[in-house]
């Protein structure tokens, strides 16, 4: 038997690249990794300082900090997890955001050099420099981790940041690889949107260049928000304190699954863009306050227009348990996970309900709804869109003294307008189809010649009174001076089966009221609808008669 030897694993530094050194897609997500580490370290404050001229930034926190042993055996140990022995919370009772212990790889590789110092309440500063150009060479030369030494810290870099710093960690990122292309305003909004624990927990504050991030950084988005749905009673300062210009009261919904959240909709899809960039607010999933899946509606598409207007958040902390559900990138959840699928299935049913509310409320407020919804007929929807577009010419802008009164009058006209618009459309199409049929059949109009001449005479009188010298009717033939009753009589005189004369005589007085823009009674609406269904049926029959 071979002599026993003390074999052991050796890992190349190239593993760092595969695990996550180039994992994160933007400066904002790297920034988020640092914020998450500060949260897990029980920091009360995180300060971010941006230096565009030097293409660098610095992050400082007042968390527990690291001793020499912590720095070597925890921070520099790739894959070290804070959740050892089933511990899911920090000493300060915060739920840990970090899980795999590899997020630091992206954090430490986003700049040419990363300078880090840290101290506990009982120890002095420890730290080092990660020179990524040197690390690249070490990876190329297939070095083992223990063969790569960190550089010594240049203390002068931190001079103005260590005063009064009793404990915590400070990281200086020198020469950001992709540059700091985002504005401070953009970064403030992104942090406010995606790191909700900074707003939900009053013991944790994030500062950029000395100014604290708050829900006020989301004011632009709040002002463009029209409707909100709260699911399972989410308590959130944004929906409770910022959404003051809603067009409808916030609606409360419930889900059986133990998650909380909200969905909000903006006036126009472009309102979801964050300061004109490609970044777009969406409906996102959070676990323990950290975003875990962007735009979760893409996993439950309903093919409804309303979803182009939605943003929001769902918090489902139960996804963070003993089961590994998160992808290596930490920016997604494994799609096949049963608990996640159950959540998506229930969320989809809520989104369908929200879609119907959105459609109804948009139409109520004279805006286009969901043209693909079958909640109302396409004819009703078209009439509603026409009413919304037309009535908008009469509604005054904000600040006008009588805006509220005019809007009330317009809103009161809506139901009647929709009926009248539909009725006029039916009248216009049906009467012109009957005219075409009479022309096609070459049916004589001699029996109504005197009526036609009288209508022409009255038209000349009215034109002279109005000083009009233009043609009014596109086609000036005799048929265009006859209404449905007279037209149907011509069809009846020709001996066409299924005559419509009787129905058209009942139809005429109500039709005239509609044509004269009168508001008609509910009884008259019912009568008109019934009569016209008969008329349309008869017209369809004789139009198909050779």
């Amino acid at each position: 038997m071979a002599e026993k030897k003390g074999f052991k694993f050796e890992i190349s530094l190239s593993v760092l690249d595969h695990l996550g050194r180039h994992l994160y897609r933007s400066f904002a997500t790297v920034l988020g990794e640092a914020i998450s580490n500060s949260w897990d370290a029980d920091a009360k404050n995180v300060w971010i300082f941006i230096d565009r001229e030097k293409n660098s930034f610095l992050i400082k926190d007042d968390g527990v900090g690291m001793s020499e042993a912590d720095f070597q055996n925890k921070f520099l140990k790739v894959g070290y997890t804070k959740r050892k022995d089933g511990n899911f919370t920090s000493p300060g009772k915060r739920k840990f955001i970090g899980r795999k212990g590899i997020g630091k790889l992206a954090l430490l590789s986003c700049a040419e050099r990363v300078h880090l110092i840290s101290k506990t309440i009982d120890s002095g500063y420890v730290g080092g420099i990660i020179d990524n150009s040197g690390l690249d060479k070490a990876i190329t030369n297939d070095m083992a981790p223990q063969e790569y030494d960190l550089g010594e810290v240049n203390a002068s870099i931190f001079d103005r940041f260590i005063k009064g710093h009793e404990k915590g960690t400070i990281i200086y990122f020198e020469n950001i690889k992709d540059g700091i292309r985002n504005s401070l305003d953009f970064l403030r909004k992104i942090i406010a949107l995606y790191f909700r624990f900074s707003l939900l927990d009053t013991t944790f504050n994030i500062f950029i260049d000395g100014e604290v991030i708050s829900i006020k950084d989301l004011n632009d988005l709040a002002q463009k928000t029209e409707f909100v749905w709260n699911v399972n009673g989410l308590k959130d300062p944004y929906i409770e304190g910022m959404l003051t210009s809603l067009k409808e009261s916030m609606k409360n919904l419930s889900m059986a699954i133990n998650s909380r959240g909200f969905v909000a909709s903006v006036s126009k899809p472009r309102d979801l863009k964050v300061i004109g960039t490609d970044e777009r607010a969406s409906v996102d999933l959070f676990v323990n306050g950290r975003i875990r899946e962007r735009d979760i509606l893409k996993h439950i598409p309903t093919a409804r227009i309303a979803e182009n207007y939605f943003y929001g958040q769902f918090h489902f902390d139960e996804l963070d348990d003993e089961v590994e559900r998160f992808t290596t990138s930490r920016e997604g959840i494994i799609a096949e996970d049963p608990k996640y699928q159950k959540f998506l299935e229930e969320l989809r049913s809520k989104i369908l309900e929200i879609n119907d509310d959105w459609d109804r409320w948009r139409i109520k407020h004279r805006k286009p709804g969901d043209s693909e919804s079958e909640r109302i007929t396409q004819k009703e929807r078209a009439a509603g869109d026409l009413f919304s577009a037309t009535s908008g010419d009469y509604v005054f802008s904000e600040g006008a003294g009588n805006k509220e009164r005019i809007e009330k009058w317009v809103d009161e006209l809506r139901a009647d307008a929709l009926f009248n618009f539909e009725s006029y459309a039916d009248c216009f199409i049906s009467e012109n189809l009957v005219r075409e049929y009479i022309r096609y059949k070459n049916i004589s109009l001699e029996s109504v010649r005197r009526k036609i001449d009288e209508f022409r005479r009255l038209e000349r009188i009215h034109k002279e009174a109005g000083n009009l010298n233009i043609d009014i009717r596109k086609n000036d033939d005799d048929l265009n001076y006859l209404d449905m009753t007279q037209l149907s009589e011509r069809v009846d005189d020709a001996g066409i089966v299924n005559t419509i004369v009787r129905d058209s005589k009942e139809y005429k007085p109500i039709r005239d009221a509609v044509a004269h823009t009168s508001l008609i009674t509910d009884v008259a609406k019912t009568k008109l609808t019934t009569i016209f269904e008969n008329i349309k049926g008869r017209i369809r029959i004789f139009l198909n008669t050779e």
Side-chain angles (χ1 to χ4, degrees):
M1 189 171 179
E3 183 181 348
K4 184 178 180 181
K5 294 184 178 180
F7 293 110
K8 60 182 179 181
F9 277 109
E10 285 193 18
I11 298 175
S12 168
L13 283 173
S14 63
V15 172
L16 302 186
D17 275 346
H18 298 300
L19 280 177
R21 195 160 168 253
H22 301 292
L23 208 55
Y24 289 80
R25 59 187 173 85
S26 70
F27 172 67
T29 54
V30 170
L31 201 62
E33 184 61 42
I35 294 170
S36 298
N37 286 346
S38 297
W39 169 268
D40 286 350
D42 282 330
K44 293 183 178 179
N45 300 286
V46 178
W47 296 271
I48 302 167
F49 301 92
I50 307 291
D51 190 335
R52 288 186 177 281
E53 289 186 7
K54 293 184 178 180
N55 189 33
S56 63
F57 73 100
L58 181 143
I59 296 180
K60 169 184 172 182
D61 71 39
D62 57 2
V64 295
M66 291 180 283
S67 65
E68 184 175 315
D70 293 332
F71 185 57
Q72 178 60 60
N73 300 324
K74 295 180 181 179
F75 187 80
L76 293 179
K77 183 178 180 180
V78 177
Y80 173 81
T81 175
K82 312 176 187 91
R83 303 182 181 213
K84 259 183 138 182
D85 303 321
N87 188 11
F88 282 73
T89 58
S90 69
K93 303 304 178 185
R94 287 177 178 170
K95 289 184 178 179
F96 282 135
I97 291 174
R99 187 179 181 98
K100 292 186 174 74
I102 63 173
K104 70 191 74 170
L105 297 181
L107 181 68
L108 299 179
S109 60
C110 70
E112 284 188 10
R113 282 172 295 280
V114 180
H115 309 248
L116 185 150
I117 60 172
S118 185
K119 65 179 292 191
T120 67
I121 196 72
D122 299 318
S123 67
Y125 284 109
V126 297
I129 299 175
I130 294 93
D131 187 328
N132 279 292
S133 61
L135 188 55
D136 287 338
K137 291 178 182 177
I139 290 171
T140 301
N141 295 329
D142 200 22
M143 292 174 62
Q146 60 268 27
E147 297 179 87
Y148 176 78
D149 294 328
L150 270 61
E152 291 188 14
V153 171
N154 180 356
S156 64
I157 292 176
F158 299 100
D159 279 349
R160 74 184 185 95
F161 300 102
I162 61 176
K163 293 177 182 177
H165 188 228
E166 296 181 353
K167 58 184 176 66
T169 300
I170 308 175
I171 310 176
Y172 175 66
F173 300 85
E174 180 185 353
N175 199 9
I176 304 302
K177 288 184 177 179
D178 293 330
I180 304 175
R181 292 173 292 182
N182 305 124
S183 68
L184 295 186
D185 195 26
F186 169 84
L187 292 174
R188 296 180 66 85
K189 284 178 168 59
I190 290 300
I191 291 172
L193 272 174
Y194 298 155
F195 299 92
R196 301 301 289 165
F197 51 82
S198 68
L199 303 182
L200 297 174
D201 192 319
T202 57
T203 68
F204 188 73
N205 297 296
I206 303 173
F207 301 81
I208 291 186
D209 284 357
E211 188 176 347
V212 70
I213 292 172
S214 72
I215 56 174
K216 293 180 181 179
D217 289 300
L218 301 177
N219 184 61
D220 290 346
L221 185 61
Q223 292 301 311
K224 295 169 184 174
T225 300
E226 295 185 320
F227 315 122
V228 175
W229 297 261
N230 189 323
V231 180
N232 285 351
L234 175 69
K235 299 294 183 182
D236 188 293
Y238 176 71
I239 60 176
E240 292 170 349
M242 292 295 291
L243 302 182
T244 58
S245 303
L246 298 177
K247 294 184 179 297
E248 293 286 334
S249 298
M250 181 169 64
K251 183 174 180 178
N252 294 310
L253 301 175
S254 61
M255 284 175 64
I257 207 160
N258 188 24
S259 67
R260 309 168 316 285
F262 75 91
V263 175
S265 70
V266 291
S267 178
K268 300 174 182 176
R270 67 169 178 259
D271 295 334
L272 295 176
K273 284 286 191 79
V274 180
I275 331 175
T277 69
D278 290 334
E279 197 75 30
R280 179 179 177 274
S282 56
V283 180
D284 305 320
L285 179 62
F286 289 70
V287 180
N288 293 338
R290 170 72 183 268
I291 188 168
R292 289 298 190 179
E293 185 77 61
R294 289 286 313 276
D295 191 15
I296 54 177
L297 297 190
K298 67 177 178 285
H299 298 300
I300 50 171
T302 64
R304 298 282 291 272
I305 292 171
E307 293 176 17
N308 296 317
Y309 295 74
F310 290 165
Y311 73 94
Q313 298 179 352
F314 279 85
H315 299 261
F316 192 18
D317 294 346
E318 290 183 7
L319 285 178
D320 188 5
D321 55 21
E322 294 81 5
V323 177
E324 180 54 75
R325 294 185 168 87
F326 306 114
T327 61
T328 304
S329 71
R330 300 182 68 206
E331 295 186 334
I333 300 174
I334 297 171
E336 298 79 14
D337 179 75
K339 185 180 282 191
Y340 181 45
Q341 284 299 314
K342 186 176 180 182
F343 165 78
L344 291 177
E345 182 180 341
E346 191 167 347
L347 177 60
R348 189 176 193 278
S349 69
K350 283 302 132 188
I351 293 299
L352 289 172
E353 182 179 346
I354 289 171
N355 280 335
D356 286 342
D357 287 338
W358 181 86
D359 182 42
R360 184 170 57 256
W361 289 343
R362 289 274 295 188
I363 291 173
K364 175 182 175 182
H365 292 280
R366 299 182 297 279
K367 290 188 175 182
D370 184 352
S371 59
E372 297 182 1
S373 171
E374 297 179 357
R375 188 181 59 82
I376 58 177
T377 68
Q378 290 303 303
K379 187 188 292 186
E380 290 173 314
R381 188 172 299 282
D385 289 344
L386 178 58
F387 175 78
S388 297
T390 305
S391 61
D393 293 337
Y394 300 93
V395 177
F396 296 162
S397 59
E398 295 293 338
N402 47 1
K403 171 181 169 60
E404 188 173 332
R405 183 175 72 246
I406 301 297
E407 284 194 336
K408 180 175 179 292
W409 288 349
V410 168
D411 289 341
E412 288 173 348
L413 286 174
R414 179 177 182 81
D416 289 287
L418 300 193
F419 183 87
N420 283 26
F421 289 177
E422 290 183 56
S423 299
Y424 178 78
D426 280 333
C427 173
F428 176 86
I429 293 173
S430 63
E431 292 186 15
N432 277 289
L433 284 175
V434 175
R435 290 186 180 103
E436 290 298 326
Y437 182 79
I438 291 173
R439 289 190 189 99
Y440 173 72
K441 285 291 188 178
N442 198 24
I443 297 173
S444 174
L445 301 180
E446 286 308 310
S447 60
V448 287
R449 174 57 53 197
R450 292 179 61 183
K451 287 184 179 179
I452 293 171
D453 291 343
E454 178 61 14
F455 288 146
R456 287 183 179 277
R457 186 185 69 83
L458 291 173
E459 182 181 61
R460 285 194 298 272
I461 292 172
H462 294 317
K463 286 177 68 175
E464 289 171 1
N467 195 30
L468 289 177
N469 297 311
I470 60 172
D471 292 332
I472 296 175
R473 286 171 171 77
K474 185 176 181 180
N475 189 337
D476 195 40
D477 68 8
D478 292 339
L479 278 171
N480 287 291
Y481 289 88
L482 302 178
D483 63 19
M484 179 62 87
T485 300
Q486 292 138 1
L487 292 169
S488 60
E489 286 174 343
R490 304 291 69 72
V491 174
D492 190 40
D493 288 347
I496 304 297
V497 181
N498 293 315
T499 179
I500 58 174
V501 172
R502 185 187 65 189
D503 288 321
S504 64
K505 286 182 178 179
E506 287 187 273
Y507 174 67
K508 180 176 172 53
I510 309 177
R511 175 263 194 202
D512 288 348
V514 170
H516 287 88
T517 68
S518 299
L519 306 185
I520 62 176
T521 65
D522 290 340
V523 175
K525 288 178 182 178
T526 302
K527 182 70 173 176
L528 181 60
T529 301
T530 303
I531 295 170
F532 204 77
E533 284 304 311
N534 288 336
I535 290 175
K536 284 193 290 187
R538 297 180 188 279
I539 290 175
R540 282 195 291 266
I541 290 173
F542 72 67
L543 285 178
N544 287 310
T545 302
E546 289 295 332

